[in-house]
Amino acid sequence: MHTYRLKQRQGEDNKIQETLKRNGNIPIHIAAIMDGNGRWAKKRGLPRIAGHKEGVESVRDIVEACGQLGIKYLTLYAFSTENWKRPKYEVSMLMRLLMRALRDETEKLLKKNVRVQAIGDIGTLPNQVQEELFYAIEKTKSNTGLVLILALSYSGRWEITNAIKLISSAVKHGELEPENISDRTVEQYLSTKGIPDPDLLIRTSGEFRISNFLLWQLAYSEIHISEILWPDFRRKQLYEVIADFQKRERRFGLVSEQLTSSK
Ligand code: FPP
C-alpha cells in the first residue's frame, strides 16, 4: 500500500482506539468462537482450507488490535474436541496450518509483548504441534502484554469432567473436604485457573450456539453474535463489537439500581 495511505489508515485506527479507551470499560478478557471459515471458502469456490488460511490473517489482526487496546486476555477456540471428527484431510491440514502459524508468528508475538498460553487436551495434538506450542509458550512466558490463550483439542465438558476427576482424587486422598468445595475450588481445577472469566464472547458467522466452549467461565459473559464470517472479521469489526459492549449494563444477577448505588 502507498506509504501515505498506510499512514492515514494507521492514524484513523489510532483515533478509533483512543475513543474506545476514553469511553472506558475495555473488556479485560475476550473469548472468540472463530466460525465460518468453511463457508467463506465455499462462497469463493475455494477449498475449505483456504478459509482457515484466511482465518489465520484475521487472528493476526485481532491479536495485534487487542494488544494495542490494552485487552489483557484473548481466548481463541482454535480446535475443539469435536473437530477431531472432521475428515482426516481437513484435520491434518488444520494441524499443519497451526504448526506453521506458531512457527512463523512466535518471534513477532515476542516483539509485540504477547504471551502465548494454551488450554485443552494438549497431549492429543500431533508431536510437532505440541513442540511448536511449547516453544511459543516458553519463549513468550516473560511477556507482560496481551495473553493469547489458544483453546486446542478443547471442550468445556472435557474440562469440567477433568476437574471432577481431580477434585475426586483430592477428596479421596484427604486433601479436600467435600463440604468445603465452593465455586472458587472448582475454578482452581479448571485449565483457566488464575485467568478471569471472559467479559465478552464473540461468535462469528451468525450461529447462536456456545458449542462446548468455556461452559463454566461464560456464566456472566456478554455474548455478541456477529454475522461476519471469521476470515472477514478484522479490527474494524472488533471495534464495533467493543463499542456495543461498552453500551451494555452487566448486572451479574443484580438489579440496575443496586449497580448505580454501589458506584
Ligand atoms: C471454524 O470454521 C473454524 C475452525 C474449526 C478452525 C479455526 C482455526 C483457525 C482460524 C486457525 C487457527 C490459527 C491460529 C494461529 C490460532 P468452520 O470450518 O467450522 O466454518 P464453517 O462453519 O463455515 O464450515
Side-chain angles (χ1 to χ4, degrees):
M1 199 189 287
H2 195 277
T3 323
Y4 174 72
R5 283 275 315 280
L6 191 67
K7 277 202 175 142
Q8 193 184 27
R9 219 177 69 174
Q10 277 168 353
E12 282 164 16
D13 196 56
N14 287 343
K15 260 192 224 157
I16 301 173
Q17 289 192 0
E18 287 313 316
T19 310
L20 288 173
K21 286 183 197 168
R22 243 197 330 272
N23 287 350
N25 198 20
I26 291 277
I28 295 170
H29 185 173
I30 296 183
I33 302 178
M34 310 182 284
D35 199 13
N37 294 350
R39 273 163 283 170
W40 184 93
K42 197 171 172 200
K43 264 172 58 179
R44 289 163 177 77
L46 297 168
R48 291 177 57 82
I49 193 68
H52 296 312
K53 277 190 189 153
E54 197 58 28
V56 176
E57 297 303 317
S58 293
V59 170
R60 198 173 285 136
D61 197 41
I62 297 301
V63 167
E64 189 176 68
C66 283
Q68 291 165 348
L69 281 167
I71 287 157
K72 197 62 208 146
Y73 302 92
L74 172 68
T75 303
L76 298 178
Y77 206 5
F79 195 84
S80 74
T81 310
E82 289 74 25
N83 286 155
W84 289 116
K85 294 183 206 132
R86 289 197 174 194
K88 257 199 177 120
Y89 172 76
E90 184 169 342
V91 171
S92 83
M93 290 301 273
L94 263 171
M95 288 298 144
R96 206 180 295 176
L97 190 63
L98 198 63
M99 198 174 69
R100 210 169 294 159
L102 286 166
R103 190 178 293 167
D104 293 348
E105 298 300 322
T106 298
E107 284 305 318
K108 289 175 221 157
L109 293 171
L110 188 63
K111 287 203 189 95
K112 291 195 170 123
N113 201 18
V114 176
R115 177 175 182 185
V116 179
Q117 291 191 344
I119 55 171
D121 198 0
I122 304 303
T124 58
L125 298 168
N127 285 342
Q128 281 176 305
V129 177
Q130 288 189 46
E131 280 164 23
E132 293 296 340
L133 186 64
F134 291 136
Y135 180 76
I137 293 171
E138 181 59 27
K139 193 91 181 159
T140 60
K141 71 176 182 207
S142 305
N143 280 354
T144 54
L146 174 73
V147 182
L148 170 63
I149 304 155
L150 300 176
L152 292 164
S153 194
Y154 172 89
S155 77
R157 287 187 176 180
W158 164 82
E159 181 182 45
I160 293 170
T161 307
N162 200 46
I164 293 170
K165 283 186 196 161
L166 297 170
I167 291 172
S168 315
S169 168
V171 168
K172 191 170 149 191
H173 292 100
E175 296 153 11
L176 196 60
E177 293 296 328
E179 53 275 24
N180 292 338
I181 297 173
S182 66
D183 54 359
R184 288 259 170 257
T185 322
V186 177
E187 279 165 14
Q188 297 304 307
Y189 289 87
L190 297 174
S191 52
T192 49
K193 178 183 169 185
I195 299 168
D197 290 342
D199 305 289
L200 173 63
L201 169 73
I202 303 171
R203 180 169 190 149
T204 57
S205 91
E207 307 283 356
F208 286 74
R209 280 193 295 277
I210 290 188
S211 298
N212 216 346
F213 190 39
L214 300 172
L215 294 180
W216 176 279
Q217 298 86 341
L218 292 174
Y220 288 104
S221 309
E222 291 296 318
I223 300 180
H224 189 110
I225 308 291
S226 165
E227 290 296 326
I228 312 280
L229 305 176
W230 178 256
D232 290 329
F233 191 89
R234 300 291 162 98
R235 59 179 63 213
K236 179 175 173 284
Q237 285 73 30
L238 176 74
Y239 298 153
E240 286 166 7
V241 174
I242 294 176
D244 175 66
F245 170 83
Q246 290 179 326
K247 287 188 218 131
R248 298 194 192 183
E249 179 187 65
R250 302 184 71 197
R251 291 199 293 273
F252 298 95
L254 306 181
V255 299
S256 220
E257 289 71 24
Q258 287 176 295
L259 295 174
T260 31
S261 64
S262 66
K263 267 181 195 163

